[in-house]
Amino acid sequence: QVYLVESGGGSVQNGGSLRLTCKVSGWRGRYYCMGWFRQAPGNQREGVAGIDSDGRTTYVDSAGRFTISEDAAESTLDLQMDNLKAEDSGTYTCAIEVEENACRKWLWRAARGYESTTWGQGTQVTVSP
């Protein structure tokens, strides 16, 4: 069983930065995908960025503004978000899929509930104009 707890959300102005952290505990298996998802009110959840157990990263539509990283020593998954825009607002949730290494595909499928993904509780990000 894996447990995920997010922190670092908040309110910033357009162009600002935030760093989200997800504390990961529990057994992750031999390989895995971890990632960050966003859901704005009235919108479907969408994948933002993912990283596999080998450190390979994948991004969805962040145009180089977001950076996902894993700190194995601290057991954390971070998302550095720079040059934030109002459309980046939403609830950000970290997630993990064990025994999975096709992370880009997993980001799409997990956002739609097609995977047996473990989710955190989410943290709110608000970007004001």
Side-chain angles (χ1 to χ4, degrees), residues 7-122:
S7 61
S11 298
V12 296
Q13 290 188 324
N14 199 40
S17 297
L18 281 173
R19 188 175 186 88
L20 307 182
T21 295
C22 178
K23 181 67 176 177
V24 184
S25 59
W27 182 79
R28 307 184 199 183
R30 296 169 297 169
Y31 52 95
Y32 53 82
C33 283
M34 290 197 294
W36 287 93
F37 295 75
R38 173 179 61 227
Q39 186 167 22
N43 289 358
Q44 181 175 318
R45 177 183 281 168
E46 57 184 347
V48 174
I51 187 169
D52 70 14
S53 47
D54 291 326
R56 290 173 296 207
T57 58
T58 185
Y59 297 91
V60 181
D61 297 335
S62 64
R65 298 182 295 117
F66 294 177
T67 303
I68 189 171
S69 60
E70 180 186 5
D71 186 330
E74 296 292 328
S75 293
T76 57
L77 176 71
D78 290 343
L79 184 68
Q80 176 66 39
M81 303 187 293
D82 298 315
N83 191 21
L84 282 161
K85 305 176 181 180
E87 54 263 40
D88 295 321
S89 297
T91 299
Y92 282 71
T93 307
C94 71
I96 186 169
E97 185 77 29
V98 300
E99 306 296 313
E100 174 64 74
N101 58 7
C103 290
R104 189 166 187 88
K105 178 181 177 182
W106 167 71
L107 284 175
W108 189 92
R109 291 180 58 83
R112 288 155 180 80
Y114 296 151
E115 303 287 352
S116 56
T117 297
T118 299
W119 300 90
Q121 83 286 357

